[in-house]
Amino acid sequence: MSLGDAGEAGFLPHTSHWGVFSARMRDGELEVRPHPGDPDPNGILENFPAALRHRARIARPMVRRGWLENGPGPDDRRGRDDYVPMAWPAVLDLLGSELMRVRDGFGPGAIFGGSYGWASAGRFHHAQSQIHRFLNTACGGYVKSVNSYSSGSSQVLVPHIIGEYEDLTKRNVSWEQIAEHSEIVIAFGGMALKNSMVAGGSVSKHVERGAMQRAAERGCEFVLVSPLRSDLPDEVRAQWVSCIPASDTALMMAIVHTLVTEGLHDRAFLDRYTVGWPVFERYLLGETDGQPKDAAWAAPLTGLPADEIVALARRLAGKRAVVVVSHSLQRAEHGEQPVWMGMVLAAALGQIGLPGGGYAYALGAIAYYGRRFNAVPVPTFSQGRNGVCDYIPVARISDMLLHPGTPYRYNGQTRTYPAIKLVYWAGGNPFHHHQDLNRLRKAFARLDTLVVHELAWTATARHADIVLPCTMTLEREDIGASSNDPLLLPMRPVVPPYGEARDDYAIFADLAERLGAREAFTEGRSVRQWLEHLYEPTRAALAARGLPAPRFAEFWESEGYELPQQPDDGGRLRAFRQDPERNPLATPSGKLEIFSETIAGFGEADCPGHPAWLGPVHVPDEAAPYVLVANQPRTRLHSQLDFGGHSGASKHRGREVARMHPDDAAARGIREGDIVRLFNERGACLAGVALTDGIRRGVIQLPTGAWYDPADPEEDKPLCVHGNPNVLTRDIGTSALAQGCTGQLTTVQVERFDGNLPPIQAYDPPALA
Ligand SMILES: Nc1nc2c(c(=O)[nH]1)N[C@H]1C(S)=C(S)[C@@H](COP(=O)(O)OP(=O)(O)OC[C@H]3O[C@@H](n4cnc5c(=O)[nH]c(N)nc54)[C@H](O)[C@@H]3O)O[C@H]1N2
Ligand SMILES: Nc1nc2c(c(=O)[nH]1)N[C@H]1C(S)=C(S)[C@@H](COP(=O)(O)OP(=O)(O)OC[C@H]3O[C@@H](n4cnc5c(=O)[nH]c(N)nc54)[C@H](O)[C@@H]3O)O[C@H]1N2
Ligand SMILES: [Mo]
């Protein structure tokens, strides 16, 4: 452990979800440079300089004119109204009274504070913790959201069939094991480096490229199952199996069918470590429904030749094989099935719990996975106690607002959507993350009040009644850390706040005062006192281990230091393999559940008791003949700093770029560099076009994150001129089991856009009244 060298020439250490870096201001320009220890820095850092003082930043508190004139209440002018600037004390008085009106008149159960979103790195100014603590201490609580847009279906499924989610995702097959032990990696949805360059909180070393390179050099084979060739790095020379999107479950079944009929499956493993194989095997062989799930059956469903599937199965057998399933596969209708079937495939191969083998669900989807945990706790800001127990699965927000009082199924329960009057958001962008944005606009129109803290004029901020400008990470002090990245870092402010922007903490502290809860919220601490307070448990844990434990003042002046880490021991699944009786999994049976009595007992048609092929979903038809893959963007994190230089440079004539196969383009008279209109029954958007043979025919890819930019917000389904795919995606849960987000896939039509190109207005602040 070392405190590192003192910063050079004014560069101050800082961190972001896309990597650790340092920054300084020079001649009015921001300079950023990656952490010196990072072998593979993330280009997304380059979004900071142009974003810092961009016109898209919010300079002053604002109140929507219609809300100010008419008071709280449903209003479809949200998203097309103008704004009235207001001084901080006045706007906080106004908001304080509105919160009291709702809290005292309807109860805290009428406040939705789920506030999903990634906000910024930093353990204290973590916007979700701040808003939840505020609502808990000052409002008596709030209706929350559970699970994430990332893994909404796997998070619900995995505890039933494998056990604790983190035992599968975070304490399992590591990058070190891949580099050293794996003989074959089959990655459904790939492990795109663009994705693993990001992690919530902090990442000081991007190790994924190096680990995959080392594995490939050692002779490890890679198989990429994905509609996009770029989902594994070129360096690993993967076999590219380009299946029809959402057909992976059928492919996995046919692989397992081949293993079984050729006697290549690990019977001993299935007997000892799983329950329910006999039931599933009868289904697989067609004994229950007359349809063997063999390669010939899967061929038309997956778009792959049957002999290729058979060869793939033989290639996997008898090797130290690891099955990877990316989050993307479960962000689609029936998304539970490929996650469950991936476990069954890995179990049939018998490698679960061995170094570099088994089931590495979500490895490479994000830099959380495949790493070691720290041996000491990192600073954590307490959210307090929520007095409301009601919640929704996170992606059901529009359903909740449009259908209060309506029952819905979730994880074996019948629940009822609450009646929400006020939504408070800090640190997320529903106009980025949610599906069917035209429906979301209608849902937000139902509210009495929408409050948003933002650093920039996102579409969410433009729909809010009260918009409070918050600081950007570079404008405040914090501690950077993450439970499985070793670097603990003082984040020092590089520039003063923009305009009148304030920290979320300062805003909430002053609001809490108006609700009589300042002391409960702040505990009397300044920001610096909080940082010192949050740092102390880490320091004490270091001291208890007899390790150097610098005092806060020393830490604060340093470049950060590395925390001790736990061994890479394969976690619970390794222990389970070694002794399943003494180390059972946290499932009802203590084993891997190929058949789950619990899930079968829920009786959901769209998620039966074992993995099943429930028929194709996201199927193209005449009106929408292409499958759209709306995946994560390479040049930014979601919608964050879309107005930055790196994000802007990847666009074409200011629009997000869609990728399609040259044959598909030719058939529609589309050429490289054209602007196209993508559309379906839900909406339409414009995008630039790039042609590539690295995409499966019939598939179009348009990443998420270009800010929603309606040409004419007065329309019911306005054209988004900028290329936000969520005007096209469908707002429906993965299944009645998990109700997860299904935004990854939808179907669309495409045509060349020859009209006058509407200007991009997404970054222009709204009109002032
Ligand atoms: N179609 C489709 N949709 C998807 C996905 C997909 O694959 N396809 N992926 C989904 C996934 S996995 C996710 S995780 C979501 C991500 O969805 P979000 O997490 O909502 O997206 P972000 O753009 O990261 O939004 C964070 C917002 O917080 C703001 N912010 C940053 N720092 C602060 C701060 O300190 N305080 C406050 N108050 N605000 C701050 C940023 O300006 C930004 O607007 O999107 C989901 N949506
Ligand atoms: N640069 C960058 N990195 C990110 C993020 C970001 O916004 N920007 N977001 C982060 C977050 S919050 C998360 S949750 C993760 C998300 O991690 P993922 O959900 O895994 O990431 P995606 O890029 O959406 O999808 C990965 C790939 O899956 C493939 N795919 C889509 N559908 C199918 C299918 O049906 N079958 C198969 N076999 N493949 C399919 C697509 O080609 C896509 O490129 O990424 C994280 N990393
Ligand atoms: Mo995510």
Side-chain angles (χ1 to χ4, degrees):
M1 186 177 95
S2 98
L3 288 181
D5 300 327
E8 175 210 318
F11 274 96
L12 297 170
H14 215 80
T15 192
S16 64
H17 295 316
W18 40 94
V20 176
F21 64 103
S22 55
R24 71 173 173 194
M25 286 302 282
R26 212 177 193 192
D27 305 327
E29 299 285 321
L30 180 78
E31 295 178 342
V32 292
R33 61 175 197 197
H35 181 53
D38 190 341
D40 193 16
N42 192 340
I44 295 180
L45 286 173
E46 291 302 326
N47 277 330
F48 275 122
L52 190 64
R53 268 30 186 164
H54 195 279
R55 70 178 188 286
R57 292 287 309 268
I58 306 174
R60 304 164 69 183
M62 297 274 178
V63 182
R64 188 173 66 79
R65 183 159 64 108
W67 192 89
L68 203 57
E69 287 172 357
N70 306 325
D75 189 349
D76 63 11
R77 288 210 56 80
R78 289 196 179 97
R80 53 201 171 96
D81 212 345
D82 39 24
Y83 281 86
V84 181
M86 202 176 271
W88 274 110
V91 80
L92 293 176
D93 285 348
L94 197 62
L95 177 53
S97 325
E98 172 59 4
L99 284 166
M100 263 188 278
R101 180 188 74 90
V102 176
R103 180 193 67 182
D104 301 341
F106 304 92
I111 300 175
F112 181 70
S115 187
Y116 182 79
W118 268 62
S120 289
R123 304 295 297 179
F124 176 67
H125 293 291
H126 179 239
Q128 304 312 321
S129 303
Q130 292 286 347
I131 185 174
H132 295 151
R133 183 182 169 90
F134 166 75
L135 292 171
N136 287 338
T137 50
C139 297
Y142 59 96
V143 174
K144 66 179 180 180
S145 57
V146 295
N147 311 326
S148 63
Y149 279 75
S150 315
S151 52
S153 93
S154 56
Q155 268 176 291
V156 177
L157 175 71
V158 164
H160 292 298
I161 63 161
I162 303 175
E164 275 186 39
Y165 192 66
E166 291 213 341
D167 291 339
L168 175 68
T169 53
K170 290 190 174 172
R171 299 173 194 270
N172 182 9
V173 182
S174 67
W175 288 111
E176 293 167 71
Q177 294 170 37
I178 297 272
E180 280 173 40
H181 300 287
S182 309
E183 290 174 324
I184 186 162
V185 177
I186 181 165
F188 294 87
M191 299 188 282
L193 288 175
K194 70 169 173 71
N195 287 348
S196 55
M197 296 216 115
V198 157
S202 186
V203 47
S204 58
K205 291 189 181 75
H206 293 92
V207 300
E208 289 77 5
R209 186 195 305 270
M212 281 193 256
Q213 254 169 351
R214 272 191 288 149
E217 281 160 15
R218 188 177 43 74
C220 175
E221 303 168 59
F222 284 81
V223 180
L224 166 65
V225 182
S226 171
L228 293 190
R229 192 171 53 209
S230 56
D231 283 335
L232 271 183
D234 291 342
E235 290 98 313
V236 303
R237 294 178 299 277
Q239 176 195 349
W240 180 32
V241 178
S242 99
C243 66
I244 292 174
S247 70
D248 304 78
T249 304
L251 173 58
M252 293 180 204
M253 284 181 175
I255 293 174
V256 177
H257 187 280
T258 306
L259 295 175
V260 169
T261 50
E262 300 196 357
L264 298 172
H265 63 316
D266 191 335
R267 277 232 70 116
F269 184 91
L270 292 167
D271 288 346
R272 182 150 189 222
Y273 297 102
T274 72
V275 293
W277 170 260
V279 181
F280 178 75
E281 191 181 42
R282 285 198 292 281
Y283 168 80
L284 185 75
L285 299 176
E287 289 164 16
T288 39
D289 63 358
Q291 175 59 67
K293 313 303 176 297
D294 58 11
W297 163 80
L301 299 173
T302 58
L304 302 170
D307 53 359
E308 198 182 313
I309 301 176
V310 171
L312 187 53
R314 292 178 184 152
R315 207 174 149 197
L316 291 169
K319 294 202 180 88
R320 182 57 54 81
V322 58
V323 176
V324 177
V325 169
S326 72
H327 280 327
S328 56
L329 269 68
Q330 53 87 66
R331 204 177 300 115
E333 287 170 49
H334 303 160
E336 295 78 11
Q337 302 309 314
V339 179
W340 202 342
M341 193 56 214
M343 180 269 270
V344 176
L345 170 58
L349 292 168
Q351 304 291 298
I352 293 176
L354 295 174
Y359 190 27
Y361 171 72
L363 185 69
I366 206 164
Y368 293 145
Y369 309 133
R371 288 164 184 260
R372 293 175 185 236
F373 273 83
N374 297 328
V376 293
V378 294
T380 305
F381 183 57
S382 160
Q383 304 188 357
R385 204 189 131 270
N386 189 346
V388 175
C389 41
D390 207 357
Y391 63 82
I392 56 161
V394 66
R396 299 277 50 84
I397 173 137
S398 293
D399 284 357
M400 170 183 75
L401 298 177
L402 292 168
H403 305 295
T406 304
Y408 67 98
R409 294 282 297 165
Y410 170 71
N411 206 10
Q413 312 160 30
T414 300
R415 304 180 54 82
T416 305
Y417 288 122
I420 298 297
K421 295 280 176 196
L422 181 147
V423 168
Y424 203 142
W425 225 289
N429 185 2
F431 275 86
H432 165 74
H433 64 236
H434 199 57
Q435 286 55 67
D436 197 348
L437 295 179
N438 291 320
R439 186 168 186 254
L440 180 69
R441 293 172 71 208
K442 295 194 174 74
F444 277 162
R446 298 279 181 100
L447 288 167
D448 278 6
T449 300
L450 174 61
V451 188
V452 171
H453 291 196
E454 250 301 344
L455 55 91
W457 279 111
T458 62
T460 304
R462 281 163 196 278
H463 282 74
D465 302 309
I466 299 183
V467 183
L468 302 180
C470 71
T471 48
M472 191 159 153
T473 179
L474 289 163
E475 298 162 351
R476 61 197 183 214
E477 54 188 39
D478 211 327
I479 297 175
S482 154
S483 60
N484 61 357
D485 185 276
L487 193 65
L488 185 76
L489 185 84
M491 297 167 67
R492 300 215 284 271
V494 179
V495 285
Y498 177 74
E500 296 177 19
R502 305 184 68 198
D503 296 348
D504 293 298
Y505 177 70
I507 300 170
F508 286 131
D510 283 357
L511 255 185
E513 166 130 27
R514 283 152 170 91
L515 294 156
R518 175 183 277 274
E519 180 60 27
F521 177 73
T522 66
E523 294 178 23
R525 292 191 187 91
S526 67
V527 172
R528 184 65 69 84
Q529 286 166 333
W530 269 109
L531 299 186
E532 197 162 349
H533 177 71
L534 299 185
Y535 175 82
E536 178 52 24
T538 306
R539 195 205 61 78
L542 289 168
R545 294 176 150 248
L547 293 167
R551 304 176 78 77
F552 179 79
E554 196 185 343
F555 162 71
W556 190 248
E557 292 307 318
S558 78
E559 299 287 293
Y561 58 79
E562 297 213 336
L563 300 172
Q565 293 207 291
Q566 294 174 10
D568 176 29
D569 62 3
R572 183 89 160 244
L573 285 163
R574 178 87 48 87
F576 169 65
R577 182 175 189 117
Q578 283 159 356
D579 190 340
E581 281 73 39
R582 288 179 64 183
N583 307 310
L585 299 178
T587 57
S589 62
K591 295 187 178 185
L592 297 165
E593 302 216 348
I594 293 174
F595 178 84
S596 160
E597 271 181 34
T598 311
I599 294 176
F602 295 161
E604 310 296 4
D606 54 7
C607 193
H610 60 71
W613 175 251
L614 300 170
V617 287
H618 306 288
V619 187
D621 59 17
E622 215 174 300
Y626 298 91
V627 179
L628 183 76
V629 170
N631 62 349
Q632 317 302 311
R634 183 177 50 82
T635 55
R636 59 187 172 256
L637 173 66
H638 313 133
S639 67
Q640 296 202 30
L641 311 188
D642 183 36
F643 48 99
H646 190 61
S647 180
S650 70
K651 294 188 185 172
H652 177 63
R653 296 166 79 186
R655 331 278 139 161
E656 190 52 65
V657 175
R659 280 170 191 76
M660 60 189 295
H661 194 278
D663 295 351
D664 290 336
R668 308 280 305 159
I670 294 166
R671 289 158 317 209
E672 173 88 19
D674 280 347
I675 299 290
V676 290
R677 191 174 77 101
L678 297 164
F679 58 101
N680 61 22
E681 57 183 314
R682 287 172 291 281
C685 70
L686 300 183
V689 164
L691 305 183
T692 169
D693 65 0
I695 190 166
R696 188 188 159 82
R697 281 183 192 76
V699 176
I700 300 176
Q701 177 246 346
L702 179 66
T704 58
W707 284 15
Y708 174 69
D709 194 352
D712 179 2
E714 304 285 329
E715 283 177 17
D716 191 42
K717 294 179 182 175
L719 174 72
C720 169
V721 304
H722 194 189
N724 184 327
N726 275 328
V727 297
L728 303 164
T729 51
R730 193 165 164 222
D731 185 8
I732 184 174
T734 51
S735 76
L737 179 82
Q739 297 286 7
C741 161
T742 58
Q744 179 81 193
L745 299 174
T746 193
T747 55
V748 294
Q749 180 56 287
V750 60
E751 67 183 14
R752 203 174 63 223
F753 181 78
D754 292 323
N756 283 335
L757 202 53
I760 302 287
Q761 294 177 306
Y763 311 133
D764 300 338
L768 298 186

